[in-house]
Amino acid sequence: MSENSAAQPLRLPKVSMRRRARRSVTRHWTLYLLLMVPLVHLVIFKYVPMANAVIAFKDYNIIKGVWGSDWVGLRNFQQIFDNPVFWQLVKNTFLLSFYAVIASFPVPIILALALNEIRQGIFKRTVQMVTYAPYFISTVVVVSMTIMILSPQTGLVSHVTGFFGVDKADLLADADYFRHIYVWSDIWQTAGYSAVIYLATLAGVDQSLYEAARVDGATRLQKIWHVDLPSIMPVAVIILVLAVGNIMAIGFEKAFLLQNPINLSSSEIIATYVYKTGLLNADFSQATAIGLLNSVVNLALLVFVNFVAKRLTGSGVWS
């Protein structure tokens, strides 16, 4: 063998992409089978129904069906912007969602950092269980509990404020208190569950970082600031991006159940208006147009926030 031929690198035969894919499927067919179940569910129940959003551009007639109804172009969207109620809906939805994101984002992080510092196993598990349990209570039950606690006649809040000489007040009948009741009851229900994600992240932190901080004489607060917070920051950024991306898609159930004619000026949001327009008034085209517009705004916010997060922290939902 000559010297030049010995210096040439060994070239492996090229394998086509299709052949590699076929070989991978044959070798890992059980994993692909497991992947197919959620994919089929996603396509059938999430993507196929999107086709019905076309009635936002039609004068939907239940006799003619989705594809047989007459096209009206952007008339439904024009009626939305001409509706004086629409901008009040946008304002209520944005303020409620923004308040919920700002108030609920730091609470699970603080709870997870506090639980991570607790060394007594029984106390730690008890606190974790107590904060985690409300997540499994249905929204209807949470709303019922909230109404009972805030009842001006028999509620706990009225008894406590009455003990200090404060007059009894029906907080749910005051539009100014609706957003506070909605957001903080939601935090009570979901903070423990959300903290689990951060606890799992803290459990995977390299222990040598803690050892190095201890050798350097760092206090507990310094350890949290310089080790724990940077470790959970990528996860926190992703959760914040997803939360801001859904800022206009706040839940319907709780707002509708806490709603009454007196607090309607604050509690009427896009989701409750779509329900009343679409199902109660049977104006399906108008309701779909509002929902579609809301989804487009959410998508734009998600892209924008992900871009900002990538520029500021280097982390995002996608690159």
Side-chain angles (χ1 to χ4, degrees):
M1 181 181 294
S2 65
E3 186 177 349
N4 292 334
S5 61
Q8 291 180 354
L10 181 62
R11 292 184 178 181
L12 297 175
K14 291 184 177 179
V15 181
S16 65
M17 183 72 74
R18 183 180 299 178
R19 191 172 179 182
R20 279 189 293 176
R22 190 183 306 163
R23 186 183 302 171
S24 177
V25 171
T26 306
R27 186 176 300 172
H28 308 291
W29 66 271
T30 52
L31 295 178
Y32 284 102
L33 185 62
L34 286 174
L35 183 64
M36 285 301 294
V37 175
L39 278 179
V40 170
H41 178 274
L42 194 68
V43 170
I44 293 177
F45 295 103
K46 297 295 182 183
Y47 285 95
V48 172
M50 284 184 185
N52 294 325
V54 74
I55 67 173
F57 304 94
K58 290 190 168 193
D59 183 13
Y60 178 67
N61 187 307
I62 196 169
I63 304 298
K64 295 180 181 178
V66 174
W67 301 105
S69 300
D70 300 328
W71 291 94
V72 295
L74 299 175
R75 190 183 73 184
N76 290 317
F77 295 94
Q78 183 64 42
Q79 290 176 350
I80 292 173
F81 289 111
D82 292 339
N83 190 344
V85 178
F86 175 70
W87 295 110
Q88 181 66 31
L89 296 175
V90 173
K91 176 187 172 186
N92 289 341
T93 305
F94 179 78
L95 288 178
L96 187 62
S97 303
F98 186 73
Y99 184 10
V101 170
I102 295 299
S104 63
F105 176 68
V107 175
I109 296 176
I110 296 171
L111 180 62
L113 293 173
L115 287 173
N116 193 51
E117 290 298 315
I118 297 175
R119 296 290 174 253
Q120 296 180 1
I122 296 177
F123 181 70
K124 181 177 181 178
R125 285 194 293 271
T126 303
V127 173
Q128 194 169 354
M129 186 188 68
V130 169
T131 55
Y132 190 76
Y135 180 78
F136 296 99
I137 303 175
S138 72
T139 304
V140 176
V141 175
V142 170
V143 171
S144 300
M145 293 169 63
T146 304
I147 293 173
M148 291 175 63
I149 292 172
L150 298 178
S151 171
Q153 303 301 328
T154 59
L156 177 64
V157 174
S158 293
H159 286 295
V160 173
T161 55
F163 179 78
F164 292 100
V166 180
D167 294 335
K168 295 179 179 178
D170 189 356
L171 300 181
L172 277 175
D174 192 334
D176 293 336
Y177 289 104
F178 174 80
R179 295 190 184 103
H180 303 297
I181 296 169
Y182 182 99
V183 171
W184 289 104
S185 62
D186 195 62
I187 290 174
W188 170 76
Q189 186 180 10
T190 60
Y193 178 80
S194 302
V196 172
I197 299 173
Y198 297 111
L199 281 172
T201 306
L202 289 170
V205 176
D206 190 354
Q207 295 300 313
S208 62
L209 296 176
Y210 293 119
E211 293 295 333
R214 192 175 297 115
V215 170
D216 291 340
T219 62
R220 280 193 169 189
L221 286 177
Q222 289 173 330
K223 188 186 66 175
I224 290 172
W225 184 259
H226 294 289
V227 178
D228 290 342
L229 281 177
S231 300
I232 64 176
M233 190 55 67
V235 176
V237 169
I238 291 173
I239 291 176
L240 181 62
V241 169
L242 292 175
V244 175
N246 289 318
I247 199 167
M248 298 296 285
I250 197 162
F252 157 78
E253 285 183 344
K254 190 177 226 179
F256 184 72
L257 293 171
L258 286 173
Q259 193 175 82
N260 59 53
I262 304 176
N263 64 23
L264 206 58
S265 60
S266 293
S267 62
E268 188 74 298
I269 59 176
I270 291 177
T272 57
Y273 188 77
V274 167
Y275 167 74
K276 293 173 183 175
T277 304
L279 294 182
L280 300 185
N281 297 334
D283 191 350
F284 300 106
S285 295
Q286 188 75 208
T288 306
I290 298 173
L292 187 60
L293 189 63
N294 193 36
S295 299
V296 171
V297 173
N298 273 324
L299 179 61
L301 283 172
L302 180 62
V303 173
F304 174 73
V305 174
N306 187 71
F307 172 76
V308 173
K310 286 285 294 180
R311 294 295 297 268
L312 294 179
T313 66
S315 300
V317 179
W318 68 86
S319 57

